[in-house]
Amino acid sequence: MNMPVPPKVIRAGAKRNELAERLSRDVQGEVLFDRGDRGRYSTDASIYQVDPIGVLVPRTFEDVRAAVDICGELQAPFVARGAGTSQCGQTVGQTVVLDHSKYLNRIVDFDAAAMTVTVEPGIVLDQLNAWLRPHGLWFPVDVSTSAQCTLGGMAGNNSCGSRSIVYGNMVHNVLGVDVLLADGTEGHFGQLEHMTADGSRIGQIVQRLREIAAREHDEIARTVPKVLRRVGGYNLDIFNPQSVRPYTADGHVNLAHLLVGSEGTLAITRRLTLKLSPLPEHKVLGVISFPSLYRALDTAQHIVKLGPEAVELVDRTMIDLAHDNPAFGPVIDRALTGDPRALLRVEFAGSGRDTQLRKLDQLVELMGDLGLPDTVVRMTDAADQKALWGVRKAALNIMMSMRGDGKPVSFIEDCAVPLEHLAEYASRLTDVFQKYGTSGTWYAHASVGTLHVRPILDMRTGGAELMRSIAQEASALVQEYKGAYSGEHGDGLSRSEWISWQFGPSLTKAFEEIKALFDPKGLMNPGKIVRSPKMDDTTLFRFKPSYQVLPFEPALDWSAWNVTQDPARQKVGAPGSGSDPTKGFSKAVEMCNNNGHCRKFDAGTMCPSYRVTRDERHLTRGRANTLRLALSGQMGPDAFTSEEVRESLDLCVGCKGCKRECPTGVDMAKMKVEFLYQWHKEHKMSLKDRLIASMPKWAPWAARFPSFFNARDRVPGAAWLSEKFLGFSARRSLPRWRHDTFLSQAPHDHVDDADVVLFADTFNNYLDSENARSALKVLQAAGYRVHVARADASDPARDRPLCCGRTYLSVGLVDQAREEARRVIQALRPFVARGVPIVGLEPSCLLSLRDEFLVMGLGDDAKALAHQSFLFEEFLAREHKAGRLNLPLKALPQKRALLHGHCHQKAFDAVRPVQTVLGLIPDLDVSLIESSCCGMAGSFGYDAGHFDISMKMAELSLLPAVRQAGPDDLIVADGTSCRHQIADGAGRQAEHVAHVLERALA
Ligand SMILES: Cc1cc2nc3c(=O)[nH]c(=O)nc-3n(C[C@H](O)[C@H](O)[C@H](O)COP(=O)(O)OP(=O)(O)OC[C@H]3O[C@@H](n4cnc5c(N)ncnc54)[C@H](O)[C@@H]3O)c2cc1C
Ligand code: SF4
Ligand code: SF4
């Protein structure tokens, strides 16, 4: 193998200031050159990390042009970036990063008849496909990251979807590219016959490309792998096609295809013209359970003969990890028969439902013939298919949810071998892993022989050496089976070094000539594809051998992440068995592998602040990166409690969307509590935060003198003053206090033989007391003996109502929250001991009994309480399911209910129970509003500095949906702050489900 040449060393620091100045002067876009911003753009979904010179988020193409000119003048390298989800370090480098994803994402032209669309590079695939759906068309390169990856990035990497056996890769679906070259030349690359080899800059390139291709004609035939999935190097074989699938239907040469897969090293894509396909009318799915991985892979070659659209492998590790994930567990369980070691998910699609069903029959028959009868689960329902597809799409991320320092590492991730060798290749690779004391996690696009496999390595200790040894043995296998070393994820930093190995010296030289032709000064994404560094250069690693975290004592219990790990057996040790000096906090932060799933915009909650700002800083990933860099001293000493970190967490509304939806379980809401605790050790707390936190303590006074406490919204100028001196937004009314609190009127008796305990939180006791009253009436009407929870007689603060501590947690006062939690545990202990369910109304309050109570060092009592704590609707739905609910209900005047789920309900899969119990009301049609966070998020929306962002979050989907509701429609929302936001933003009064049920009591 040729020794790779290290990339040119660029003196970034010296140029940084000048570049920042010039850019700030000459462009309209966002110039982000500070330490935190650079840190957030220093990684992608690879193992690499390099501090970039700076970042520009261009608003217009003119900005891009200006930036390229300035970089050219100052000799500064630059890289175009989309969502930054590349796995091989394609976007990592000492460059000026041009983030195209925020503004350059329009659809420029669409021709339905010709089935073509022209887009800007920053558009996200799912958004493009959502736009195309009404036209019956789609762009079929359906990569797993479709919810966040951009078309520019997909073209850059020559991405491949799961259905590539039918539709091919990006290179098969791009018709033309408008480009900007490093020297400022603009032009179009498309069909060769329409491009003149004149004296212009582009013409000269065309002419020279022809010459190189003619010279290398035989070498191309000799060295380029003849598989569909080959994405390494430049696609010089467009002149002498080697792909098993022709690049163009009629055999013409399209020069856009040379730019596809060039990883931003040759040109910046300004616009892409894409070939579209008709949406398949019908899809059916067969899920086959196999007794071994080998058997599954070996069977793929027979299945493809039935003409499936996709054949995808899921291995045992992933089945187990998916099973443990709250979002994926039930879905994967439905797809299994017996106790399989691997699954193949086989999809048939096309016109004629009967035709597709017949293919499914053939699959069942085939499995019987192959000695595996009764192993196919038929999935013909679209919702089931979509849910299982979701698991497959999240497969890699699920794998990455493995705790401990060793992680499945991507470097031989997508070798592609001819199908008949797939099982043997996997088997021999398993032996290689064993030889090096590790094991692999597998999933595959089995239909096209691309095997995603990641050996588990700890990059901090010995990972680099193991990586090279395994890569060398894997490459020898790939060569023996005449496969492709890079079958999907491209070259970047981890595979560029292997180009000369795969393509030989002659083509490697040709690639260097091509690079020099387009980019003579080597400014575009240097070190990728040609003249690359070594894949195992540890100075480029995110977790370098020198990586260390600065010790601190966390307030919450993070021991679940502080574990040892046995990579060979894929087992993790007991909580707390690791040696993390932050007792697991930094390990929890490091769970973010940068895959970018939090950049999604589809259903679900995560991440509301990103959804409105589209800033990397206000994204779960951006926050996790900021914390990681700060914790490991890479943002300077004491950075963890710095203003930079505080700012990156400022717009995190603590919705827990990431807790459920981040495939690796990054729980930023909890991390923010920990951060605020540490922050307040060093920084004074504002009066506003102190007021919010201690609300449960002063609420009794507010109930005694409500007119005084409500004066702020009555007395002219008071709201203004509260904004000026306290920071409460004058544009919002505050919640109204009242005399008739629930607990002042509810029964005081200790109901020893209670069937259920009603826990009235601060909000539903003092502010929306009617909800607690309704809940009590409904429970009693259903025949339950209800005990209303009150402080224990031995509690020193027994006259004060119980409180879950949520308001303290929201500002990081963990010690005070713990005290409140202790009071709750003490008061409820006798009921918990008897197994009595504890029922609450406010999602964020009640669910903290199941969440934060468990990480405040409160022992087994907290676990027992968590086990028995239910939201009101969860309790009723459970009783209904068990056939025990006897609730007499009549129809309401309203016939339709629109339901908005509180974020914490969504995080705990507790929205369905609301739908279930509302569904018990005769003649009521219940529809769920597909909404993210309402934007109020406890006290977040009351803050003057957060008001606008809070309203923008609400305007994303919640408020428009509420405004469209008819005047007679019910709006149901269980969260106090959600109801307030709906009232403020849409002038509608939303109701708690308890209140609705009470009105429906017969
Ligand atoms: C969990 C996970 C699953 C994945 N699954 C798949 C899969 O199924 N199939 C697959 O093929 N890949 C997959 N990938 C890899 C990656 O998501 C895809 O390659 C994706 O298309 C990259 O898009 P992006 O917007 O993130 O691009 P980026 O990572 O931002 O950029 C990719 C490359 O394109 C270049 N680029 C971006 N914009 C421009 C532009 N305007 N002009 C010129 N060059 C540009 C960049 O310089 C870079 O070299 C996966 C990654 C992850 C983390
Ligand atoms: S926070 Fe979660 S979803 Fe976002 S990039 Fe990190 S791992 Fe992926
Ligand atoms: S808690 Fe919500 S706002 Fe905060 S990072 Fe997670 S998804 Fe985003």
Side-chain angles (χ1 to χ4, degrees):
M1 186 193 308
N2 283 353
M3 280 305 289
V5 183
K8 212 166 63 179
V9 177
I10 286 107
R11 298 197 186 288
K15 292 203 176 126
R16 187 166 286 142
N17 294 345
E18 196 178 353
L19 273 162
E21 241 168 65
R22 290 283 306 274
L23 287 170
S24 303
R25 202 182 63 204
D26 293 353
V27 304
Q28 297 169 11
E30 297 160 25
V31 179
L32 310 173
F33 271 57
D34 74 21
R35 206 172 38 172
D37 283 317
R38 294 201 317 270
R40 285 181 281 273
Y41 281 87
S42 64
T43 50
D44 51 16
S46 67
I47 55 170
Y48 300 102
Q49 174 184 310
V50 177
D51 188 20
I53 300 174
V55 180
L56 171 69
V57 184
R59 268 177 206 279
T60 58
F61 177 70
E62 283 62 44
D63 279 356
V64 179
R65 197 188 288 130
V68 167
D69 285 350
I70 293 169
C71 286
E73 212 182 296
L74 299 181
Q75 292 289 298
F78 55 91
V79 63
R81 169 164 149 146
T85 67
S86 291
Q87 291 197 18
C88 303
Q90 282 92 327
T91 67
V92 174
Q94 217 176 47
T95 56
V96 175
V97 181
L98 306 173
D99 178 351
H100 283 61
S101 67
K102 184 167 177 179
Y103 298 110
L104 302 176
N105 48 25
R106 288 170 310 171
I107 293 171
V108 181
D109 194 23
F110 172 60
D111 185 338
M115 294 205 293
T116 61
V117 68
T118 301
V119 297
E120 289 183 331
I123 191 166
V124 170
L125 175 59
D126 273 0
Q127 290 177 336
L128 173 63
N129 276 334
W131 189 89
L132 291 169
R133 197 167 301 124
H135 302 280
L137 297 170
W138 74 315
F139 185 67
V141 184
D142 56 338
V143 292
S144 305
T145 43
S146 61
Q148 61 270 14
C149 71
T150 63
L151 266 299
M154 289 172 67
N157 284 351
N158 190 7
S159 292
C160 322
S162 294
R163 297 171 175 93
S164 61
I165 192 172
V166 175
Y167 299 104
N169 313 341
M170 273 308 273
V171 70
H172 302 103
N173 291 279
V174 170
L175 298 173
V177 194
D178 290 348
V179 298
L180 172 70
L181 303 187
D183 64 359
T185 303
E186 289 178 47
H188 176 80
F189 280 75
Q191 282 198 28
L192 180 61
E193 63 198 20
H194 298 157
M195 299 190 66
T196 42
D198 55 18
S200 68
R201 172 92 167 88
I202 302 271
Q204 285 170 1
I205 289 177
V206 173
Q207 178 55 32
R208 185 72 193 113
L209 282 174
R210 279 176 181 274
E211 289 163 13
I212 295 171
R215 187 189 75 209
E216 302 296 336
H217 185 272
D218 295 347
E219 195 62 9
I220 291 171
R222 208 177 62 78
T223 58
V224 175
K226 287 148 192 60
V227 288
L228 171 71
R229 295 294 200 108
R230 194 272 304 159
V231 302
Y234 295 128
N235 293 328
L236 193 54
D237 68 321
I238 55 172
F239 291 98
N240 181 11
Q242 300 301 308
S243 171
V244 290
R245 183 189 180 91
Y247 291 136
T248 54
D250 60 3
H252 74 258
V253 176
N254 187 322
L255 280 182
H257 296 165
L258 186 93
L259 295 177
V260 173
S262 63
E263 301 186 0
T265 59
L266 300 182
I268 285 193
T269 301
R270 180 183 186 181
R271 294 191 200 102
L272 280 161
T273 300
L274 307 168
K275 184 172 84 179
L276 303 174
S277 296
L279 272 170
E281 282 170 39
H282 298 284
K283 282 186 190 168
V284 295
L285 199 62
V287 187
I288 316 168
S289 292
F290 286 91
S292 69
L293 179 76
Y294 188 95
R295 200 74 199 273
L297 291 173
D298 196 40
T299 308
Q301 56 185 315
H302 305 294
I303 295 175
V304 292
K305 292 181 190 142
L306 301 177
E309 197 169 70
V311 184
E312 298 287 303
L313 172 85
V314 175
D315 82 342
R316 180 75 219 186
T317 307
M318 206 190 314
I319 295 172
D320 289 344
L321 289 169
H323 183 78
D324 293 344
N325 181 302
F328 300 131
V331 181
I332 196 91
D333 286 350
R334 277 202 298 278
L336 307 179
T337 53
D339 184 24
R341 306 302 302 167
L343 299 179
L344 282 183
R345 180 195 161 284
V346 185
E347 180 178 285
F348 299 102
S351 55
R353 186 172 163 78
D354 288 346
T355 314
Q356 308 314 319
L357 288 172
R358 262 199 304 281
K359 287 190 188 164
L360 207 49
D361 293 339
Q362 286 168 6
L363 180 69
V364 175
E365 218 174 285
L366 173 70
M367 294 317 297
D369 293 348
L370 293 172
L372 291 169
D374 305 323
T375 50
V376 183
V377 172
R378 297 163 69 103
M379 285 196 169
T380 51
D381 177 68
D384 287 346
Q385 291 174 27
K386 195 172 166 212
L388 190 68
W389 191 229
V391 178
R392 162 58 194 89
K393 280 177 102 172
L396 178 62
N397 295 330
I398 295 171
M399 251 184 218
M400 298 304 284
S401 65
M402 193 176 284
R403 293 179 187 186
D405 281 351
K407 297 281 179 230
V409 176
S410 166
F411 60 101
I412 48 166
E413 155 96 0
D414 55 341
C415 299
V417 297
L419 262 190
E420 61 273 25
H421 303 305
L422 196 59
E424 203 180 303
Y425 168 68
S427 167
R428 289 177 66 185
L429 208 50
T430 306
D431 295 342
V432 172
F433 296 157
Q434 265 170 15
K435 177 172 156 192
Y436 292 103
T438 186
S439 61
T441 51
W442 309 80
Y443 70 101
H445 302 299
S447 55
V448 285
T450 302
L451 201 49
H452 287 324
V453 55
R454 295 185 160 203
I456 300 168
L457 304 178
D458 179 356
M459 300 317 285
R460 287 165 250 218
T461 46
E465 295 80 32
L466 285 176
M467 185 160 92
R468 176 155 302 276
S469 305
I470 293 172
Q472 265 160 354
E473 299 215 21
S475 61
L477 292 176
V478 171
Q479 203 159 43
E480 186 181 326
Y481 294 123
K482 297 194 173 16
Y485 194 60
S486 179
E488 183 171 304
H489 293 152
D491 296 320
L493 291 168
S494 64
R495 253 88 65 88
S496 295
E497 162 187 355
W498 294 84
I499 283 185
S500 58
W501 167 87
Q502 174 91 74
F503 296 98
S506 189
L507 278 197
T508 303
K509 187 167 157 288
F511 292 163
E512 286 179 8
E513 284 174 57
I514 292 172
K515 167 75 178 174
L517 191 56
F518 279 85
D519 176 25
K521 292 183 185 162
L523 293 181
M524 303 191 86
N525 204 9
K528 319 290 153 51
I529 300 185
V530 297
R531 296 193 286 273
S532 65
K534 286 180 152 196
M535 68 184 283
D536 52 353
D537 178 346
T538 56
T539 63
L540 304 175
F541 285 3
R542 196 185 319 163
F543 296 108
K544 303 173 185 24
S546 59
Y547 181 91
Q548 275 187 340
V549 291
L550 308 170
F552 77 90
E553 187 62 35
L556 299 175
D557 176 4
W558 298 93
S559 61
W561 284 269
N562 188 19
V563 291
T564 49
Q565 191 194 53
D566 173 355
R569 292 192 306 131
Q570 299 191 8
K571 295 274 180 247
V572 292
S577 57
S579 53
D580 176 19
T582 66
K583 299 198 170 158
F585 179 70
S586 63
K587 299 292 164 206
V589 169
E590 289 164 17
M591 289 303 291
C592 173
N593 69 347
N594 277 281
N595 59 65
H597 189 60
C598 37
R599 292 173 63 105
K600 71 195 175 79
F601 284 87
D602 61 352
T605 307
M606 170 173 80
C607 168
S609 50
Y610 175 72
R611 287 179 191 225
V612 294
T613 62
R614 292 189 176 232
D615 289 342
E616 187 69 27
R617 183 204 295 197
H618 299 302
L619 175 68
T620 322
R621 174 173 79 174
R623 293 179 179 122
N625 274 325
T626 310
L627 284 171
R628 180 178 55 78
L629 293 166
L631 284 165
S632 54
Q634 296 180 72
M635 283 169 65
D638 302 327
F640 180 38
T641 47
S642 66
E643 181 57 22
E644 252 170 325
V645 175
R646 195 201 64 77
E647 273 178 17
S648 81
L649 290 167
D650 185 42
L651 299 190
C652 168
V653 291
C655 67
K656 303 191 185 182
C658 46
K659 179 187 172 74
R660 181 175 174 81
E661 293 165 36
C662 162
T664 68
V666 172
D667 184 352
M668 193 53 66
K670 207 174 283 171
M671 289 173 191
K672 184 171 179 182
V673 173
E674 182 68 60
F675 166 77
L676 288 173
Y677 175 86
Q678 305 295 341
W679 165 268
H680 285 310
K681 275 191 192 167
E682 292 177 23
H683 300 83
K684 211 167 144 235
M685 187 175 283
S686 69
L687 181 55
K688 175 176 79 36
D689 283 356
R690 272 184 281 149
L691 281 173
I692 290 167
S694 56
M695 181 176 165
K697 289 215 168 132
W698 53 259
W701 292 100
R704 226 173 272 172
F705 307 107
S707 16
F708 173 74
F709 277 79
N710 291 334
R712 182 268 197 193
D713 287 344
R714 253 191 359 253
V715 177
W720 180 85
L721 285 172
S722 77
E723 174 160 334
K724 181 130 182 71
F725 294 104
L726 292 174
F728 288 109
S729 171
R731 288 181 279 175
R732 280 213 193 271
S733 61
L734 293 180
R736 291 190 67 74
W737 297 95
R738 56 205 283 173
H739 267 306
D740 59 338
T741 65
F742 169 69
L743 288 172
S744 66
Q745 299 177 343
H748 274 70
D749 315 337
H750 195 279
V751 186
D752 286 333
D753 60 348
D755 305 310
V756 54
V757 173
L758 180 61
F759 173 80
D761 55 86
T762 303
F763 307 97
N764 286 298
N765 172 40
Y766 290 105
L767 303 171
D768 294 339
S769 330
E770 55 281 353
N771 294 336
R773 273 191 275 278
S774 298
L776 182 60
K777 274 194 202 153
V778 171
L779 290 168
Q780 288 173 336
Y784 298 102
R785 289 181 298 267
V786 184
H787 170 77
V788 175
R790 291 180 191 273
D792 189 69
S794 64
D795 185 339
R798 62 187 152 278
D799 293 335
R800 190 163 62 76
L802 294 172
C803 159
C804 68
R806 162 72 36 211
T807 56
Y808 291 109
L809 287 173
S810 72
V811 298
L813 292 178
V814 176
D815 298 331
Q816 291 81 339
R818 189 181 295 111
E819 280 319 302
E820 296 298 332
R822 281 213 175 96
R823 297 179 64 223
V824 173
I825 290 173
Q826 188 183 351
L828 301 180
R829 191 178 286 122
F831 296 96
V832 172
R834 277 205 303 111
V836 180
I838 315 297
V839 169
L841 298 169
E842 178 64 30
S844 60
C845 295
L846 187 280
L847 292 171
S848 55
L849 274 57
R850 300 219 298 252
D851 194 5
E852 287 86 350
F853 273 34
L854 297 175
V855 291
M856 291 198 283
L858 296 166
D860 288 344
D861 278 349
K863 281 190 201 147
L865 173 62
H867 193 64
Q868 271 164 243
S869 300
F870 302 93
L871 280 167
F872 171 76
E873 55 274 11
E874 286 181 306
F875 172 72
L876 291 184
R878 197 181 73 142
E879 292 291 282
H880 173 65
K881 192 170 173 204
R884 291 192 294 257
L885 185 65
N886 183 14
L887 191 60
L889 294 172
K890 63 175 191 300
L892 289 168
Q894 296 95 341
K895 296 294 163 230
R896 187 164 168 249
L898 280 182
L899 169 65
H900 163 70
H902 183 285
C903 294
H904 294 186
Q905 282 176 313
K906 291 175 196 154
F908 284 81
D909 197 17
V911 178
R912 259 180 298 175
V914 192
Q915 292 171 286
T916 305
V917 296
L918 286 175
L920 301 178
I921 300 174
D923 306 330
L924 185 66
D925 175 36
V926 184
S927 338
L928 186 66
I929 301 175
E930 276 295 346
S931 52
S932 173
C933 176
C934 72
M936 196 61 125
S939 61
F940 180 87
Y942 290 105
D943 185 297
H946 292 154
F947 177 83
D948 289 330
I949 211 93
S950 157
M951 293 316 293
K952 278 188 192 158
M953 287 182 192
E955 290 295 350
L956 277 176
S957 50
L958 173 61
L959 294 181
V962 170
R963 287 190 200 109
Q964 276 180 4
D968 293 332
D969 291 343
L970 271 177
I971 314 290
V972 182
D974 282 358
T976 307
S977 48
C978 310
R979 291 193 296 274
H980 206 110
Q981 183 77 309
I982 289 168
D984 279 1
R988 292 289 299 260
Q989 196 54 54
E991 287 180 65
H992 191 284
V993 65
H995 197 245
V996 179
L997 284 183
E998 193 227 343
R999 292 199 297 108
L1001 283 179

